[in-house]
Amino acid sequence: MLGLGAALRVVTMLGYRPALWFPDSYSYVVTAMRPKPDLVRPAGYSMFLRLLEPLHDFGFVVLTQHVLGLLTGAMIYLAVIRRRRPLWAGALASAPVLLDAYQVQLEHLLVSDALFTFLLVAAVFVALRPLTWRTAVATGLLLAAATLTRTVGLPLIAAFAVLLLWYGSRAAGKAAADDAAGQAGAAQGSRSGLPWRVVGAFLTAALVPVAAYAGWFWAAHHRVGLVGSNGAFLYARTMSFADCRVMRPPADLAVLCDDRPPARRPPPQDYVWDPDSPLVRLPGITFLSETDALAGRFAWLAIRSQPLDYVSTTVDEFARTFVWGRPVYPDPEVYRYYEFPSKTPAPPGRHPAVVGTRFAELYQRGPISTRVVEPFAGVMRAYQSVVFLPGLLLLPVLLFPLLAAAARWARRLAASRGSASRTGDGWRLAWAVPWAVAVLLLLIPAATAEFDYRYVLPATPLAFLAAALALRPRSRR
């Protein structure tokens, strides 16, 4: 499976040279060539580009991203077999990241998702090893790097801290286990020391780099945070339901109202980027401190005034993950960026992307337009039309660990305490780590911005890892 995944990536590199571009790509390149914290996206991926800049080849950048994709699949497989789950489960869990055509295409785009997925899976992979201060520090550093690549990683730091404390406490309480495997799990817990110390080491490693970046952001923009667009994107999210007749906003917020009924409104992203958006029409750039704060105040007023509508629309966005096929969303223009093109894409028309193009040509030291080379490109287009994970199949994968845990709990409840079976596998609920991360990766964008197919792909391998870890371990013999 790893070999097939590598072959797919080789064909992709032969068919689309040197790389595929997304609207976000140009701002990443600008930050890489002119280091300064961006108001919309953290600079982690830009620093990754900067690290590879001496080679002056975007083809090498996507080669590195493809290698990270293969390593991600390998870590999923190793995490499964190290927990003594069936070998076929390890291979199946790694399939979405190794073989999904949209995953391969995403790695070929100059966007942060391949790096983010690798860092996040690496953090989970390390966290599933015996719990010591060293593994806690390594997990924290990897999560810090993921957070500085995509800000959705920030709430995951808190989630990991809770999980590490919980599992550390559970492992320490295994000292009285009566079988050899249980004693091994208890030894694992005792080696880790006090759970609070482990969590302290994790939080220090995770938050110090994040705080350092926040200091750089303050020095550059005189604003607190990692980005300066949280209010604008939350405003866009609430415009799916916000009704100013219910909200009754003050005069300074009323300029952000949209009189159209929610059913006739555009997708949330248009309220951030479309020139006709009430937010974009305000004087100055959209992400000025005052404008972003105004948008944030409007968004929170909408949530407080219409909490049930907010929950309902968040569930609707979350549910888009679990549909059969890939319906066009949020609009055909964005959707086309996730498909292998049949001809060279047109140059960008928006001014920021035009500026980014000039910096990209300095990075490449030459033209950056994508060359579509047949028959390799045609092979990948045909492959993409057939081999991908339908969202509907992701739902049972996410539900399986919960159902398996409920069945196991019911069996233990029916048995006597003395005869209750033990798996002897250390953290019996180890599936909860990747499962919680996968759910948060799907839920946070739906609650704070909007659904996007890009956001599903990093969560998918973790969901499959959780399902594999929920299986019964193989016999040690």
Side-chain angles (χ1 to χ4, degrees), residues 64-209:
T64 305
Q65 293 180 176
H66 286 312
V67 171
L68 293 180
L70 294 174
L71 291 175
T72 301
M75 284 190 293
I76 294 290
Y77 179 78
L78 288 174
V80 173
I81 63 173
R82 281 180 173 175
R83 289 278 164 175
R84 297 190 295 109
R85 269 51 175 190
L87 300 183
W88 62 264
L92 187 61
S94 66
V97 72
L98 291 177
L99 305 183
D100 190 307
Y102 286 94
Q103 172 67 33
V104 177
Q105 196 269 348
L106 189 65
E107 293 170 14
H108 210 68
L109 281 169
L110 293 170
V111 290
S112 62
D113 299 77
L115 176 63
F116 176 75
T117 303
F118 170 79
L119 292 170
L120 207 54
V121 171
V124 172
F125 179 76
V126 174
L128 290 175
R129 295 182 63 82
L131 186 59
T132 67
W133 71 267
R134 292 182 179 85
T135 57
V137 168
T139 303
L141 291 174
L142 288 166
L143 277 180
T147 299
L148 299 181
T149 302
R150 275 186 55 193
T151 52
V152 71
L154 188 59
L156 298 181
I157 294 177
F160 264 78
V162 173
L163 290 169
L164 287 176
L165 180 62
W166 179 36
Y167 283 131
S169 301
R170 287 175 59 86
K174 298 292 185 181
D178 59 357
D179 58 276
Q183 291 171 5
Q188 171 183 313
S190 64
R191 286 197 302 270
S192 68
L194 294 176
W196 282 109
R197 294 181 180 178
V198 174
V199 174
F202 163 77
L203 288 174
T204 300
L207 295 180
V208 167

Side-chain angles (χ1 to χ4, degrees), residues 438-450:
V439 171
L440 288 173
L441 285 176
L442 296 172
L443 184 60
I444 292 173
T448 60
E450 67 175 340

Side-chain angles (χ1 to χ4, degrees), residues 221-234:
H221 301 291
H222 303 289
R223 297 167 67 174
V224 176
L226 303 179
V227 294
S229 57
N230 292 326
F233 280 101
L234 188 60

Side-chain angles (χ1 to χ4, degrees), residues 194-266:
L194 294 176
W196 282 109
R197 294 181 180 178
V198 174
V199 174
F202 163 77
L203 288 174
T204 300
L207 295 180
V208 167
V210 173
Y213 183 86
W216 186 28
F217 188 85
W218 169 266
H221 301 291
H222 303 289
R223 297 167 67 174
V224 176
L226 303 179
V227 294
S229 57
N230 292 326
F233 280 101
L234 188 60
Y235 162 77
R237 176 66 195 83
T238 59
M239 290 309 290
S240 298
F241 65 87
D243 187 343
C244 287
R245 293 172 300 179
V246 177
M247 296 165 53
R248 297 181 179 180
D252 62 334
L253 296 182
V255 297
L256 296 179
C257 292
D258 189 340
D259 295 333
R260 291 174 293 182
R264 294 176 54 192
R265 293 177 187 175

